[in-house]
Amino acid sequence: HRASECPSGGGGFGGGFGGKGKGGGKGDGGGGGGGSWRDEGSAPASAPKRSSGPLSGLQRKLQEMEGRQYPCYKDLQGAGWDIETRNMKVFFDRVQGDSYAPPSWLRARVPMSAAGFPAAFVTQSRVRNTALCDFVTRVLSDLLRGGDGTDWTQTVTGGGWSSRKGGDIQVDTPGQYVLERSSVVANADYIEARLTIALPARGRTIEGYRAAEIVGGLCDAVKGALFYDSLDSKALQSHIDAVEDQDALRRQLPKLGLVAFVGNGAILPRKSGVDDRPMTKKDSPNLVLFKSPESMEITVTLPHAGEVTGMAIKKGITVIVGGGFHGKSTLLQALQLGIYNKVPGDGREYVVCEPGAVKIRAEDGRSVKCTDISPFINNLPFGKATTQFTT
């Protein structure tokens, strides 16, 4: 590590905090910033309790920084910090200049030999690897927010490491779609999480013991998310299978002469315009599950789900018609997102489009000049040509 460029005064207290558990009740709050361990101007805190277990070298380094100027945190950058007895390594790739700057960039890496994920999940196919990283990201995000790593639908607060009680550690939390992301990366050598952390301070003075406590909480979250033995193996397998089925269904479309497929029983409506989770009967007793017209119904076979029946949309022009509030736009919105795999339980798992599908819409009031619209409209009054139409 680099030599310190900061004053050496204000050394650390005796003792220190160890890692904190998952903890945390559930409620409606959000995450605060990397707040102070104690309010500025308050009476000096008593010496913190000693950790029940050994501190890592990184935690001891942070404790030594207690009371120093904020730029001392930059000494954390370098080749990485081995977390003894934890089989993990922490890297600080970028350290913020002061407590008011954007948060620091951090990576937590676990060797695959210690993480223990089956090779079939990691290296067998791109879609399986993506599903694995998505699952791990969701578990890690839930743990950091004070959950237990299993419920991704609730907003939590209290004991999470993103609340005022913690230090604002964040990972890019996925929505309803299973996409390739850089938040968690897995390969044959290691699995790694990329996060941001707001390193704590009182003004511009380092809170070393607070930072050491936060790192302990981070290590607990990493232990609960990046190790196969810590996860619900059945839930992980179901997650990967569901994503693999969606990918397989999408791959079948060209052979069947289709551009899209909508499975029977799909939940197309969302909770609201700003909440992409599926609508439930509790949200609206009038919720209607999708059912294909018999004339358009086919059955496909998927690797894990077996036979799935739904509506086939063939190549060509398909027009959606119907009265107001009959679900035309809801169906179209579900179709335009059919290029993405969905998280299990989304309700649109078997709503897929060919990968190259796009949505095209005309802007209201848009000017058109010398445009050939004859494939759509012709025979205008007074013989007005539509091969070079101008509004």
Side-chain angles (χ1 to χ4, degrees):
H1 305 292
R2 300 188 315 171
S4 174
E5 299 174 357
C6 59
S8 59
F13 300 150
F17 281 115
K20 193 158 184 173
K22 298 174 184 176
K26 297 188 176 180
D28 294 326
S36 297
W37 182 26
R38 63 177 185 268
D39 294 335
E40 290 189 55
S42 63
S46 58
K49 298 178 182 177
R50 287 190 175 274
S51 170
S52 58
L55 296 177
S56 67
L58 173 56
Q59 288 175 298
R60 289 193 296 271
K61 176 68 174 179
L62 289 167
Q63 289 181 352
E64 291 171 5
M65 292 181 176
E66 178 73 28
R68 298 182 183 179
Q69 293 301 303
Y70 204 90
C72 284
Y73 270 137
K74 292 191 178 290
D75 289 350
L76 299 174
Q77 296 178 150
W81 296 84
D82 287 315
I83 307 300
E84 297 86 348
T85 73
R86 292 274 197 161
N87 281 321
M88 65 182 72
K89 196 169 188 176
V90 174
F91 300 83
F92 287 85
D93 295 320
R94 174 189 170 277
V95 173
Q96 62 207 90
D98 59 58
S99 57
Y100 305 101
S104 305
W105 298 350
L106 177 149
R107 287 179 292 137
R109 176 181 293 181
V110 178
M112 192 55 69
S113 58
F117 288 96
F121 294 173
V122 180
T123 58
Q124 182 170 311
S125 70
R126 188 172 181 175
V127 67
R128 283 186 165 221
N129 185 282
T130 300
L132 167 65
C133 293
D134 178 86
F135 184 90
V136 171
T137 303
R138 293 173 191 275
V139 173
L140 179 60
S141 174
D142 190 55
L143 290 172
L144 290 173
R145 293 161 59 195
D148 56 12
T150 59
D151 189 350
W152 306 327
T153 63
Q154 303 295 319
T155 301
V156 296
T157 188
W161 294 100
S162 295
S163 68
R164 290 182 180 179
K165 192 177 177 184
D168 194 17
I169 302 176
Q170 300 285 346
V171 66
D172 182 26
T173 305
Q176 295 299 109
Y177 310 106
V178 180
L179 307 173
E180 284 190 75
R181 297 180 178 88
S182 59
S183 51
V184 170
V185 174
N187 56 42
D189 298 321
Y190 59 80
I191 183 168
E192 179 178 274
R194 284 90 179 268
L195 312 98
T196 61
I197 176 171
L199 294 168
R202 294 185 296 275
R204 288 182 171 82
T205 301
I206 288 177
E207 283 191 302
Y209 281 93
R210 178 69 171 143
E213 181 188 13
I214 293 166
V215 167
L218 167 66
C219 292
D220 283 340
V222 170
K223 179 66 177 175
L226 271 66
F227 287 80
Y228 182 67
D229 290 343
S230 300
L231 299 173
D232 183 335
S233 58
K234 290 183 179 179
L236 173 57
Q237 182 71 62
S238 297
H239 190 87
I240 292 174
D241 290 349
V243 174
E244 203 167 35
D245 274 345
Q246 294 173 60
D247 187 70
L249 176 56
R250 196 174 290 106
R251 290 173 183 270
Q252 289 187 41
L253 295 180
K255 300 185 221 174
L256 299 171
L258 307 179
V259 294
F261 177 90
V262 184
N264 286 344
I267 303 174
L268 304 185
R270 304 291 92 187
K271 279 187 178 292
S272 71
V274 295
D275 190 339
D276 203 32
R277 291 177 298 169
M279 181 181 287
T280 64
K281 286 286 187 181
K282 185 177 180 181
D283 298 320
S284 173
N286 298 319
L287 173 65
V288 177
L289 304 184
F290 181 83
K291 178 68 173 71
S292 171
E294 291 185 6
S295 60
M296 301 178 72
E297 198 169 70
I298 68 167
T299 298
V300 296
T301 302
L302 303 180
H304 306 290
E307 292 188 345
V308 174
T309 301
M311 181 176 72
I313 300 180
K314 298 180 180 180
K315 293 180 179 179
I317 297 176
T318 300
V319 182
I320 305 173
V321 297
F325 300 98
H326 278 60
K328 301 185 300 297
S329 297
T330 302
L331 174 58
L332 191 59
Q333 288 166 2
L335 288 171
Q336 73 191 40
L337 295 168
I339 60 174
Y340 303 121
N341 294 324
K342 318 295 191 309
V343 67
D346 174 82
R348 301 168 296 180
E349 294 95 318
Y350 302 129
V351 181
V352 300
C353 284
E354 63 175 28
V358 296
K359 174 185 177 180
I360 302 173
R361 65 178 293 178
E363 180 184 357
D364 290 341
R366 175 172 167 264
S367 174
V368 176
K369 293 185 178 180
C370 300
T371 303
D372 183 4
I373 63 170
S374 59
F376 305 99
I377 188 169
N378 212 332
N379 300 319
L380 293 183
F382 310 109
K384 187 174 179 67
T386 56
T387 54
Q388 290 189 331
F389 182 80
T390 300
T391 55

